[in-house]
């Protein structure tokens, strides 16, 4: 520890010890508060930690207030725990200050939330009760109160929220939030509203799909009796996919004979979008019952991406890999043919080995079923060195980048370059400059041989037997959040955990590049080996757009008077297709064309490429757009220029930048730079 830091830490610790356990306010407490008010904002987390604990010895609401202020700085689990202890030590004075109005929550919602969660439930409930008396829940649900009740309210406040929702006392958006808050209370704290909550089933018919979805989820979470048939009905017939998905997941959660019957019925519907999730849910309730359906569906899947989703939904079910492998084997032994299409088998082989899973029996069974050579190759050190040498001699890194970008390999969904891309595996920005080529070859061919530090997969098993694997995204006292192989975050409540293990295998699937030709493999390795070296594969400098969303408008948009919707629509709009710049920063014409494959019959009116920036300080922002003269540059829906240099005054904060292209003149290369803004990467 540097001497100055040591001195400050010792000072904070000394203030702590000097106070001993004296419960009463002492004459020198004002002086100690003044000192600690600085230390609690210190740059060094150790000093903040000692200061937070020292504050616990000053029995005064100001001490609690100062301690909560530590939340404005970066937190870590130790600091979190220290603050939790301190708030508990000072709970009576803080609650008194809150109740008298001396401690105000406006603008300090984060602090209030922390304090509420730290307090004993009955105290938290008192504080919330008082807060609700001052700020009754409004129709639009303004303020943090709905969520706070979900996080820290007692059964009584939960009831208030439920009643107000049922009495149509919220608008739709607030209603969705209210139901979600009730769901959080159940999920994280196993707490439900007082009284009989069955009224929530009335919302199954609500006109708003978000409300129907949340109501169905709540009915399941609360295990309301007698709702299975109605939920089964929604699962098959609701007009909104989101509600159908929620209903299927809820049937799985409810479980029991009746749910199995509903899921069996749904799994037989000739509609893949229902059949597949229904089978996955059925598999987790009654695996043998699901097997015929699973094999039937597997034999119809030809699209590799769809097949991958299918396997990812099925294989986490405990025992599913084994039972499927056994059934495939016995059918093969009876001479059955065409059990699985090659693409679907390859996807299955990949998923069977990803995420810390290593289901070799299924891999071999799938390879046989699809007539693929079983790719259980043993790569010796010599083989790896040979491949590395060949890649260096013959590989074409420019072609290799296109291989790397293929959706079927999913490299980008797990790895980022220049900060853009997935976060499941390590960032690849400088891997070529820092690692020898044979290390790269080995990492890709045999991910399990050496697992990079900090990226080992965690395997969580919940009480209902579901397995989750992923790298640790973060952890709170209540839940573990994993980032799974698909890049999605999955929160698993600690209350549901049965087992937690570190996997001995990498989350990166083995055999990923087995389907590639040798030429493609060599190009890929050549590309990886150039990353971070000066030239076209150096992504270390910022100032250029790397994350894009592409879309196009067609005649029907114009007929609907919506020709310029891409200038306004949010990124969550499904009509945007996300993509990333090449490492050198920009989108070449083939990538633009590939992403925007349009239906032949629809002539395109406009092609749009959008990205997002954040501006740290209000002022002029300069852009440099590489495109062609037909291109226009729009910021926040306002045209500010075209190709070449342009400038606009922007406020601090996030802004949308959209480039409009003429579909008949797609530029050879599209690149957007700005020295004054940061481009949002994910
Ligand atoms: C499902 C997620 C996932 C996919 C898909 C994936 N990786 Fe990985 N990758 C990881 C994880 C996690 C690690 C770190 C653990 C390890 O060392 O195996 C990793 C490690 C690596 C490493 C070693 C990095 C280092 O710093 O040691 C390389 C190189 C690599 N991946 C390349 C690729 C390439 C090329 C592709 C596409 C063909 C790919 N990965 C696809 C998750 C993935």
């Amino acid at each position: 520890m540097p001497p100055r830091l040591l001195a400050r830490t010792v000072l904070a610790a000394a203030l702590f010890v000097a106070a001993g356990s004296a419960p009463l306010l002492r004459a020198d407490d004002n002086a100690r508060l003044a000192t600690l008010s600085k230390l609690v904002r210190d740059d060094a987390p150790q000093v903040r930690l000692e200061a937070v604990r020292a504050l616990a010895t000053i029995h005064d609401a100001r001490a609690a207030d100062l301690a909560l202020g530590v939340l404005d700085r970066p937190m870590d689990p130790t600091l979190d725990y220290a603050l939790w202890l301190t708030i508990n030590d000072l709970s009576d004075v803080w609650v008194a200050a809150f109740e008298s109005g001396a401690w105000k929550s406006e603008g300090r919602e984060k602090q209030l939330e922390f304090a509420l969660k730290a307090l004993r439930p009955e105290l938290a409930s008192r504080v919330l009760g008082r807060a609700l008396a001052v700020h009754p829940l409004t129709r639009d649900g303004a303020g943090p109160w709905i969520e706070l009740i979900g996080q820290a309210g007692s059964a009584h406040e939960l009831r208030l929220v439920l009643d107000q929702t049922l009495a149509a006392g919220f608008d739709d958006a607030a209603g969705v939030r209210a139901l979600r808050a009730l769901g959080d209370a159940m999920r994280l704290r196993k707490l439900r509203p007082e009284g009989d909550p069955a009224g929530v089933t009335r919302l199954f018919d609500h006109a708003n799909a978000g409300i129907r979805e949340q109501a169905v989820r709540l009915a399941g979470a609360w295990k309301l009796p007698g709702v299975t048939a109605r939920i089964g009905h929604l699962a098959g017939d609701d007009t909104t996919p989101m509600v159908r998905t929620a209903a299927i997941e809820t049937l799985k959660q409810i479980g029991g004979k009746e749910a199995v019957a509903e899921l069996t019925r749904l799994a037989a519907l000739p509609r893949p979008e229902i059949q597949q999730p229904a089978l996955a849910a059925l598999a987790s309730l009654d695996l043998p019952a699901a097997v015929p359906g699973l094999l039937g569906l597997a034999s119809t899947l030809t699209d590799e991406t769809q097949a991958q989703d299918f396997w990812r939904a099925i294989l986490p079910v405990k025992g599913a890999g084994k039972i499927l492998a056994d059934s495939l084997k016995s059918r093969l032994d009876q001479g059955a043919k065409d059990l699985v299409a090659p693409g679907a088998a390859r996807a299955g082989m990949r998923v069977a080995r990803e995420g810390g899973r290593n289901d070799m029996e299924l891999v071999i069974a799938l390879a046989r079923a699809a007539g693929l050579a079983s790719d259980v190759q043993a790569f010796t050190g010599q083989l790896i060195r040979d491949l590395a040498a060949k890649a260096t001699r013959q590989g074409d890194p420019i072609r290799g980048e296109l291989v790397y970008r293929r959706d079927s390999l999913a490299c980008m969904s797990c790895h980022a370059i220049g900060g853009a891309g997935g976060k499941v595996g390590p960032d690849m920005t400088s891997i070529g400059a820092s690692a020898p080529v044979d290390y790269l070859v080995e990492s890709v061919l045999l991910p399990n041989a050496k697992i990079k530090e900090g990226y080992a997969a965690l395997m969580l098993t919940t009480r209902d037997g579901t397995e989750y694997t992923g790298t640790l995204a973060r952890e709170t006292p209540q839940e573990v959040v994993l980032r799974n192989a698909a890049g999605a975050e999955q929160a698993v409540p600690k209350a549901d955990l049965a087992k937690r293990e570190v996997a001995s295998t990498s989350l990166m699937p083995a055999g990923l590049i087995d389907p590639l030709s040798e030429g493609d493999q060599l190009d890929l390795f050549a590309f990886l080996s150039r990353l971070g070296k000066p030239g076209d594969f150096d992504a270390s400098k910022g100032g250029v757009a790397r994350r894009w969303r592409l879309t196009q408008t067609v005649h029907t948009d114009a007929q609907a008077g919506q020709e310029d919707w891409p200038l306004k629509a949010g990124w969550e709009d499904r009509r945007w297709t996300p993509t990333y710049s090449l490492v050198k920063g920009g989108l070449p014409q083939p990538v633009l064309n590939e992403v925007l494959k349009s239906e032949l019959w629809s002539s395109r009116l406009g092609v749009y490429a959008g990205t997002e920036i954040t501006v740290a300080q209000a002022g002029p922002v300069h852009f440099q757009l590489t495109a062609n003269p037909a291109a226009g540059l729009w910021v926040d829906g306002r045209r500010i220029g075209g190709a070449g240099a342009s400038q606009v005054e922007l406020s601090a904060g996030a802004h949308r930048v959209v480039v409009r292209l003429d579909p008949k003149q797609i530029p050879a290369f599209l690149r957007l730079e700005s020295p004054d803004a940061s481009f949002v990467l994910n």
Side-chain angles (χ1 to χ4, degrees), residues 410-411 414-415 426 431 439 443 447 450-452 455 506 508 512:
C411 312
C414 288
H415 293 285
I431 187 109
Y439 174 84
S443 299
K450 300 193 185 87
I451 294 177
K452 185 163 167 87
Y455 288 90
S506 173
M508 175 158 158
L512 253 187

